[in-house]
Amino acid sequence: QVQLVESGGGLAQPGGSLRLSCEASGFPFSGFPMSWYRQAPGKERELVASITWSGMTNYADSVKGRFTLSRDSAKNTVYLQMNSLKIGDTAVYFCYVKRIRDYWGQGTQVTVSS
């Protein structure tokens, strides 16, 4: 079955960097777009970035120029490089794919604090 396993979250200072990884299995990874969402306490889940099967990317305005999404089909993994982190980036980050239905990873906590 489809599985999405995130890793790489943690604590960072404002201006710092983190890299999130999402390892996928159970479906033909190279043929599907992948996305990262995030949900902060008391807020709705929001789209952070997405990448097509061919590598085209799309970003939320709030992270443009700071986050970079990439994929490695040999490793069935997508990476979210997060630079110049802000306190407002604090959230649980979820990996997402739609294959017939929606699939979500378990989430990884990112906390940006001084």
Side-chain angles (χ1 to χ4, degrees), residues 43-107:
K43 294 188 176 181
E44 293 187 357
R45 194 169 295 190
E46 63 175 359
L47 177 65
V48 176
S50 59
I51 186 167
T52 67
W53 65 270
S54 63
M56 292 182 63
T57 53
N58 184 57
Y59 299 93
D61 287 343
S62 59
V63 307
K64 278 181 183 176
R66 301 188 297 119
F67 291 11
T68 302
L69 181 58
S70 60
R71 65 191 299 159
D72 183 340
S73 291
K75 296 182 178 179
N76 283 6
T77 300
V78 289
Y79 303 98
L80 184 66
Q81 178 66 44
M82 305 186 296
N83 298 330
S84 302
L85 283 163
K86 302 177 180 180
I87 291 175
D89 295 320
T90 296
V92 179
Y93 284 70
F94 298 90
C95 187
Y96 167 85
V97 67
K98 185 177 182 70
R99 185 186 187 224
I100 301 176
R101 69 168 183 86
D102 297 338
Y103 290 92
W104 298 92
Q106 81 283 359

Side-chain angles (χ1 to χ4, degrees), residues 1-15:
Q1 72 272 24
V2 174
Q3 285 192 315
L4 303 172
V5 180
E6 301 107 332
S7 61
L11 176 64
Q13 291 188 337

